[in-house]
Amino acid sequence: MTLSDDQGQFRQVYGPTPPSLRLGFRPPLAWDALTEFLVSRSDSHSQGLVDGHYVRTLRVGDVTGWLAARPVAANVLQVQLAPSLLHCLPTLQQPLRRLFDLDADPVAIATCLESDGQLAPLSQQTPGLRLPGTLDGFELAMRAVLGQQISVKAATTLFRRMVERFGEPVETPFEGLDRLPPTAERIASLEREDLLPCGLTRRRADTLLALAREVRDHSLRLDASADPQAARQQLLALPGIGPWTTEYIAMRALGDPDAFPPSDLGLLKGAGVAKPADLEARSQHWRPWRAYAAFHLWHSLGQGG
């Protein structure tokens, strides 16, 4: 489908063509793998897949709206935005590039990973696999905390309850896409007892509150502008946050291409090793792209963080 055809279909189904951005990238781009991962780790109220578009709600400062993105050429991603976000186009370019990891060099990454006999077929099966980023570091960190030591399905259920209970309503042209994930400020204003009805344990609620208050007070930055090592130390100092959660946040919120959680059971299984120390040693050959190696292993198992 050409860009003009895509705009025409969008206008026919969803109304007047909204403002859009065209973002270039170096191919290949494993778009289906990227968007399916993003959607499977979220809730149906704030992210989804509609007519080949990845859609989600978002907030830019005090302005709320939505986006719809899909590749329209071998090296171009088109992102259509709610009219309310028109004046935010310049501000959104870099966050969107990080969300979809558009600045990655897939050839350089593949060259490194394919020197490993086990990773080579995984890289060749899913060329252009990217690191799924985030538009909101707290949203991602909250999802990571909720996912500690439980299944992806269970964590997604908890996240959906949080969005339904504490997220702000927003209007979009997409059925079911109707809420924003709760902000750090909203969660930080709560007490432990407010979170328990969502299914959180007391300990998990305390961890989430401590995280939210650090982000609200600007003591902790969870975006690409943060110092990755300093952010890691701050996260590890919070009650209930350990190395796995810290490395996962470093991968997706901080954009660290070398972040790696060697204790992850899926990675141990995928790599065929029994001990985190052995996986850590083996992963040295994948540097500086260990986060991409992790996502290839997770993808091969049909799972992720």
Side-chain angles (χ1 to χ4, degrees):
M1 178 179 291
T2 66
L3 175 60
S4 59
D5 288 341
D6 189 47
Q7 287 181 329
Q9 184 184 62
F10 196 100
R11 180 169 55 250
Q12 181 180 3
V13 177
Y14 301 112
T17 302
S20 65
L21 288 168
R22 288 170 59 89
L23 303 174
F25 59 86
R26 285 170 281 197
L29 169 64
W31 178 249
D32 289 344
L34 171 63
T35 54
E36 286 169 6
F37 183 94
L38 288 169
V39 170
S40 68
R41 269 69 187 173
S42 185
D43 68 291
S44 59
H45 293 287
S46 63
Q47 295 187 65
L49 295 172
V50 177
D51 297 333
H53 293 80
Y54 166 78
V55 298
R56 71 154 294 150
T57 60
L58 70 157
R59 179 192 307 275
V60 183
D62 296 329
V63 181
T64 62
W66 52 267
L67 68 82
R70 66 174 294 173
V72 293
N75 62 344
V76 176
L77 185 75
Q78 178 174 284
V79 183
Q80 295 167 311
L81 297 161
S84 60
L85 297 172
L86 175 61
H87 70 286
C88 303
L89 291 179
T91 304
L92 280 170
Q93 289 194 47
Q94 280 308 118
L96 289 169
R97 297 191 68 82
R98 290 192 290 270
L99 171 64
F100 301 118
D101 196 21
L102 298 183
D103 291 325
D105 184 343
V107 174
I109 295 165
T111 299
C112 172
L113 299 186
E114 290 177 13
S115 65
D116 181 291
Q118 183 181 18
L119 288 181
L122 304 185
S123 175
Q124 292 161 4
Q125 288 165 15
T126 314
L129 188 67
R130 306 300 172 107
L131 293 185
T134 182
L135 292 176
D136 184 332
F138 173 72
E139 174 190 332
L140 183 281
M142 174 172 61
R143 173 60 180 77
V145 167
L146 294 176
Q148 291 173 335
Q149 300 178 330
I150 61 175
S151 69
V152 170
K153 182 178 180 180
T156 302
T157 297
L158 291 180
F159 186 73
R160 175 178 52 78
R161 291 172 182 168
M162 294 288 293
V163 172
E164 290 173 347
R165 192 175 183 91
F166 304 114
E168 179 183 341
V170 62
E171 291 187 6
T172 80
F174 310 106
E175 183 178 0
L177 194 78
D178 54 13
R179 300 191 80 83
L180 291 153
T183 63
E185 291 76 13
R186 177 73 176 105
I187 299 301
S189 70
L190 303 174
E191 301 297 331
R192 176 203 289 169
E193 289 70 23
D194 298 318
L195 297 174
L196 300 184
C198 291
L200 279 69
T201 63
R202 290 179 176 272
R203 182 178 180 183
R204 194 66 46 82
D206 289 342
T207 298
L208 186 56
L209 289 172
L211 173 69
R213 288 163 184 167
E214 286 287 306
V215 174
R216 176 199 61 187
D217 296 341
H218 305 291
S219 300
L220 173 63
R221 293 190 63 85
L222 295 176
D223 57 41
S225 69
D227 178 89
Q229 295 310 315
R232 279 178 167 89
Q233 293 305 311
Q234 289 178 276
L235 286 165
L236 289 169
L238 293 174
I241 292 185
W244 183 92
T245 303
T246 297
E247 289 304 301
Y248 188 74
I249 293 171
M251 283 180 177
R252 297 194 55 199
L254 307 183
D256 184 349
D258 204 40
F260 192 76
S263 64
D264 182 86
L265 295 178
L267 296 182
L268 290 167
K269 178 181 178 181
V273 298
K275 298 179 180 179
D278 294 337
L279 183 56
E280 176 69 25
R282 185 177 172 193
S283 74
Q284 300 306 305
H285 301 290
W286 306 332
R287 306 191 86 159
W289 310 114
R290 294 192 301 171
Y292 292 90
F295 273 92
H296 273 293
L297 290 168
W298 280 330
H299 183 67
S300 72
L301 297 171
Q303 64 182 62

